[in-house]
Amino acid sequence: MIRVLVVDDQDLIRAGLVALLRAASGVEVVAEATGGAEAVDRAARTRPDVVLMDIRMPGMNGITATERILAEAAAAPPGPTPSAERPALPRVLVLTTFDLDEYVYAALRAGASGFLLKDTGPDRLLEAIHAVARGDMLFAPSVTRRLIESYVQRSEPVPDSPASLETLTAREREVLLLTARGLSNTEIAGQLFISEATVKTHLNRTMTKLDLGSRAQAVVLAYETGLVIPGGSPD
């Protein structure tokens, strides 16, 4: 069962999401929250696998809530019956009205695993929850690139990166570069003549070294550190 926390300040939307998820197999709604602060509290109490997070909320918004939830989960002691099937940290899936909402980029930087538009159909929503629970990004790499290129050009440089890219091996750096340019694991494996499992291993090691919580966050860092130049050639 994938344990889900649903966060939205609009009662009708939240109730609809909860009703849909409760009717689906393989998904359990463990809590609801009407705002960011409540979401942080409920996440700490219930330790969900996936947080369905609204971005624009009064008080604490979804970006700050995402940061707090992931930070507190990382610092928390392990549960009594840890499962290898569950991620060490909850996966945050943000909800937005517009696919180029500037808040989406900030959410990815904060560690979210992807985003959904609020007009997403029921089947796509359920597929997305299962995808992020597995550790995948929700959306295609090309969408990640479009979002990041659109907003990183307008953002101030990050003064302190999580860690220096110099800690990466040549292969880890190469895999990160190709990931940030929008290639899937399959495409990276084909280009570098390695297995998909090896690609995932390099990405996992990269995220550990750079203290990152998601693949999307790694892509953001690649742009912000200048490893990839927005608008540059993918070759």
Side-chain angles (χ1 to χ4, degrees), residues 159-206:
D160 296 307
S161 297
S164 172
L165 293 180
E166 294 177 0
T167 63
L168 303 181
T169 66
R171 181 62 90 187
E172 289 165 352
R173 192 181 181 97
E174 191 172 21
V175 169
L176 175 59
L177 175 65
L178 295 175
T179 300
R181 284 176 172 167
L183 276 68
S184 66
N185 286 356
T186 301
E187 292 168 334
I188 295 172
Q191 184 160 325
L192 299 182
F193 302 102
I194 59 179
S195 69
E196 286 189 56
T198 301
V199 172
K200 290 180 180 179
T201 296
H202 286 310
L203 279 173
N204 288 337
R205 287 176 178 170
T206 295

Side-chain angles (χ1 to χ4, degrees), residues 55-71:
I55 289 186
R56 299 182 182 228
M57 297 180 289
M60 183 186 293
N61 63 30
I63 298 167
T64 302
T66 294
E67 293 174 338
R68 291 271 303 276
I69 287 171
L70 295 177

Side-chain angles (χ1 to χ4, degrees), residues 105 108-109 111-113 137 139-149 152 158 162 165 168 175-185 188 203 206-207 210 212-230:
Y105 171 70
L108 295 180
R109 179 190 280 176
S113 296
M137 283 198 299
F139 38 86
S142 60
V143 178
T144 310
R145 183 180 183 184
R146 178 166 60 88
L147 279 166
I148 293 170
E149 289 196 0
V152 77
V158 177
L165 293 180
L168 303 181
V175 169
L176 175 59
L177 175 65
L178 295 175
T179 300
R181 284 176 172 167
L183 276 68
S184 66
N185 286 356
I188 295 172
L203 279 173
T206 295
M207 289 190 288
L210 301 181
L212 303 174
S214 73
R215 179 187 178 115
Q217 205 173 21
V219 174
V220 169
L221 180 64
Y223 278 85
E224 291 183 332
T225 57
L227 181 63
V228 178
I229 304 301

Side-chain angles (χ1 to χ4, degrees), residues 92-95 104 107-108 111-116 132 136-139 216:
V92 179
L93 192 54
V94 298
L95 295 170
V104 170
L108 295 180
S113 296
F115 77 96
L116 278 178
V132 297
D136 297 333
M137 283 198 299
L138 168 63
F139 38 86

Side-chain angles (χ1 to χ4, degrees), residues 55-56 96-106 147 151:
I55 289 186
R56 299 182 182 228
T96 182
T97 304
F98 305 105
D99 63 353
L100 281 180
D101 189 331
E102 63 186 81
Y103 287 96
V104 170
Y105 171 70
L147 279 166
Y151 287 100

